[in-house]
Amino acid sequence: MMRSIGFGLAFFLVLGGCASAPSKPAPVTAKVVVDGEDAPHGQLPTDVRPTEYVVSLSIDPEAERFSGRVSIGLILDKPRANIWMHGRDITVTSAKVLVDGEPVGESRWEPVLEDGVSRVAVSEPVPAGAATLELEFNAAYSSGLEGLYRVEVGGAHYVFTQFEAISARKAFPCFDEPAFKTPFRIALDVPATQRAATNTLLVKETKGAAGSKHLEFAPTEKLPTYLIAMAVGPLDIVEAPPIPANSVRTKPLPFRGIAVKGQGARLEYALKHTPAIVAALEDYFGIAYAYDKLDIVAVPDFAAGAMENAGMITFREQLLLLDPATTTELQRRGFGYVMAHELAHQWFGNLVTMKWWDDIWLNEAFATWMGTKAIDAVHPEDKAPMNELHWVENAMDLDALANARQIRQPIESNHDIENAFDGITYSKGGGVLAMFETWVTPPVFQKGIRQYMADHRFGNATYEDLLAALSKAAERDVATPFKTFLFQPGVPLLGVELSCEAKQAPALTVTQSRYLPLGSKANRGATWQVPVCVRYEVKGKPKQTCSLITEATQSVALEGDACPSWVMPNVDAAGYFRFALGSDDLKHLRDKGWAKLSARERVAVTDSLQAAFHSGDAKAEDVYSMMPVLAKDTERTVMTAPMGMLSDAWLNMTEGDSRAAVEAQARKLYSGAFQRLGWTAKAGEDGEKIILRAQLAQFLARIGKDPKVRAEAAKRGRAYIGTDAVDPKAVDPTLADTVVTVAIEEGDAAFFNTVVTRALGSSDSTVRAVLMGSIGSVKDPELAAHARALVFDERVHLNEIRSLLGPQMTMPETRADAWKWLQTNWKRYVERATEDAAGGAPRYTASYCSIDLAEEVERFFGPKVADLLGGPRTLAIASEKIRLCAALVEKQAPGVEAYFAPKKAKKTGAAKN
């Protein structure tokens, strides 16, 4: 599943988080004893296991409730009078346990714990062996974006599902855990005029009662409950050409796109470009896609970015409904990467499933890593490895916190399940996989992955199974060093010192500790077993040396009979660590080696330098003096690195004339590049330039305060909004969010109200995303209050709330009022928002930067977080970030002020800036 994981990924990762129930959360429940037996917290007992489900649901999207029957084949290892399972917010009207077709005593359904743990109580013990559990039930559609929920579009209702992680229990009684993989036979009774889809092909359709039809679908392969999916409504179902057979898959694969009525034609791009990704993944795994068809479904209100349901992948609309005339380059890349991520799950997660949520990294880290590999094979022009590095470095920022979790985190409550879907699981996990792939070599790593897949096909596996397969393929111990990253939080910091003693071969002394930012209370004393490759130059000849760093201090011998002229401690930025060079070695790397570094290496040097600033080990001048060099780089990711540095200085470390000097520096560094690119993409222009144009325009308008850029942006924003209707073709689509935001800032209340009207009246998910984000970015106090009030407008989709409230809570001009608003309206917010949005609310405050505010946030959320899914860790992280920001400002702001102050002093002689 592609989720919003809260640390600034690209467009396609910040689409939104996976949702659960909107109002009455159920994360932790006190111990409950029933008939002398403890109700199970966490995992269910394993002495009762499902072997097959037959699920029949009656779904009318226009009704308020749905009903159903489920028959579950069971194996009991011992006699039982309590059968523990899951069902949440479901009314069970009949329960029977059958052995050889005959009822065993009298059975009743009883909800026990608030998180959905329930029991079937049988008046006499069910004997060991095979049995069948039959349940009839009904329930209201979920009002959140999970379980079986309704969406209204154009006056018509649709029903969609989102079951990961623990929401299948809201659609039907089940054993809602990943270890219980069984086949499912699904039948749906739906209105005769509507269409439906689920994980497998439709095999039989018959006329039902009272204007309905009965649909029976082929049995699934063995699946856990969280991978079951359904869609019902007046759907457009577009039959695409089957994905051709290849050397791995011997049969063509049926392939369809599904959207709400009237949107099917917009699936053309996605349907055209998905098959190549399927083929790339099959080629890597050497295992055919395992399911009987592939549907890709555009869901209009969807909390996650996408969800990997077996054979029926669901997406937010703006990832699939791509109009070539108005689609942005980020959307196009977002489609490709998210599609690759979700398709990779058809192997990692679906074909081989973790046994419990503590190994969710086996799904998400692998899909993150494999998605990059697949897109790089199909679309090398997208520079997926550069994006991967950006995500990994963002994960390092999260991993630097004292409250960071380890990749494989013990699951002690539903809080922990929710928290497991974060940047540590996805991007740290993916970065560590990439590091060990480099260490053992890609062919060997691939061999281990293929063996792991073959050994556990259609079953479950644990981290031990994976590491054993990799160690066997590598013919060395991969498990021991890998586990040093898997079972402890933190980013290794490698201090690297070059030694060139007379009559001795050159060597590096590598000292490791845990990287910590200023103000951290964590222990620096952690160590890892770190695969490290060092690149250097001796007498003009390139050299490379690799070693496994296992000690707190370790010497690494280098090749050559002379001292290297420069040393790069992280070849191709493949290692999950930061490094610190001595001042002379850093100077030599900048002066002599910089032009010979790869783009990823230049990014890694920049990240380590910025990290040193945040840890207090580098002065402001050391970091900010690199900006002109970086801004001239030919690689977009390197070139734009100073934008974040200047934004930080503008936001928290300067004010008055010094802040104006930051703005002037922003214009000086980037105005020329933007003028060369212009406002409109040229024919055949590559995607990197298109994205760079958007970054430059936004940065110059928002931080640089460039009057010419702002004037032109406002003009184009008004053209986008149009006189009578939105005109997306009036503006380069990649610039739309910037120009509309500036147009609102430069406009009046009437224009703002027009934008709101256009947004609420649009059925185009891409247009709505642009307009909602721009509305949320308004700074005028009265209009900002209007923007916040829209959170409670029923015309605003649940997955749009974050677009409105997020900017309000983070912009310095609005965050004080927004924070007061959230506190005042907290009860309404929890009732309106999805469960994970409520639990994630402390994240809104993470950009605050004073001890007083940290204490205020703690006082407000502290009594509440135990009842908010994922809330305790979310609050702890937000509070820590606020305190770390305050510590950084206290230490480094004077240096930043001093760096920019001379620019102000020389202003009379440099007025052109």
Side-chain angles (χ1 to χ4, degrees), residues 419-669:
N419 294 145
F421 292 88
D422 70 352
I424 300 300
T425 293
Y426 286 72
S427 292
K428 178 182 180 178
V432 170
L433 288 170
M435 175 172 66
F436 279 92
E437 178 193 27
T438 300
W439 185 51
V440 303
T441 74
V444 169
F445 197 83
Q446 181 184 38
K447 179 182 177 182
I449 294 299
R450 287 183 170 188
Q451 189 62 54
Y452 167 78
M453 287 287 163
D455 289 346
H456 304 284
R457 180 181 174 88
F458 293 122
N460 296 89
T462 69
Y463 78 95
E464 293 170 315
D465 300 316
L466 185 277
L467 297 184
L470 293 176
S471 294
K472 182 177 179 180
E475 298 181 347
R476 56 174 152 164
D477 180 12
V478 175
T480 299
F482 200 108
K483 285 189 285 189
T484 67
F485 286 86
L486 200 58
F487 287 102
Q488 65 177 336
V491 183
L493 174 64
L494 302 186
V496 181
E497 183 178 350
L498 177 62
S499 175
C500 295
E501 299 292 339
K503 298 182 181 182
Q504 293 184 12
L508 295 177
T509 299
V510 180
T511 302
Q512 61 167 307
S513 61
R514 181 176 178 179
Y515 169 80
L516 295 176
L518 284 162
S520 177
K521 296 181 180 179
N523 187 344
R524 292 185 181 272
T527 59
W528 293 259
Q529 293 191 16
V530 190
V532 174
C533 284
V534 182
R535 197 154 63 83
Y536 49 102
E537 190 174 82
V538 178
K539 295 181 179 179
K541 294 183 179 180
K543 304 283 185 179
Q544 182 169 311
T545 297
C546 296
S547 183
L548 184 67
I549 305 299
T550 60
E551 305 297 331
T553 300
Q554 187 170 325
S555 180
V556 177
L558 303 181
E559 297 180 19
D561 57 0
C563 195
S565 56
W566 54 268
V567 174
M568 170 57 192
N570 190 1
V571 172
D572 203 37
Y576 185 85
F577 58 84
R578 284 168 166 155
F579 59 86
L581 289 167
S583 57
D584 289 342
D585 292 332
L586 180 58
K587 183 177 186 300
H588 292 157
L589 180 60
R590 289 178 185 171
D591 296 345
K592 300 176 182 179
W594 189 259
K596 299 173 184 179
L597 300 182
S598 71
R600 281 175 57 97
E601 289 169 343
R602 298 197 301 277
V603 170
V605 173
T606 304
D607 173 73
S608 287
L609 186 61
Q610 290 175 308
F613 175 75
H614 281 265
S615 67
D617 295 313
K619 297 178 181 178
E621 184 176 359
D622 296 334
V623 177
Y624 284 92
S625 63
M626 279 289 291
M627 291 190 301
V629 176
L630 299 174
K632 293 177 182 177
D633 204 282
T634 57
E635 178 65 41
R636 177 180 60 83
T637 307
V638 182
M639 178 186 179
T640 56
M643 291 182 180
M645 299 156 62
L646 288 166
S647 296
D648 289 344
W650 187 90
L651 183 63
N652 290 316
M653 298 199 187
T654 57
E655 56 186 16
D657 290 343
S658 294
R659 180 173 287 181
V662 172
E663 296 166 0
Q665 179 77 331
R667 297 192 295 272
K668 181 178 180 180
L669 290 179

Side-chain angles (χ1 to χ4, degrees), residues 11 118 210 215 297 317 335 365 420 472 555-556 661 672 693 700 715 717 761 810 813 862 905 909:
F11 161 83
S118 302
L215 307 176
V297 186
E317 278 189 334
F335 154 77
K472 182 177 179 180
S555 180
V556 177
R693 174 182 291 106
L700 289 169
K715 175 183 175 182
T810 55
E813 298 90 345

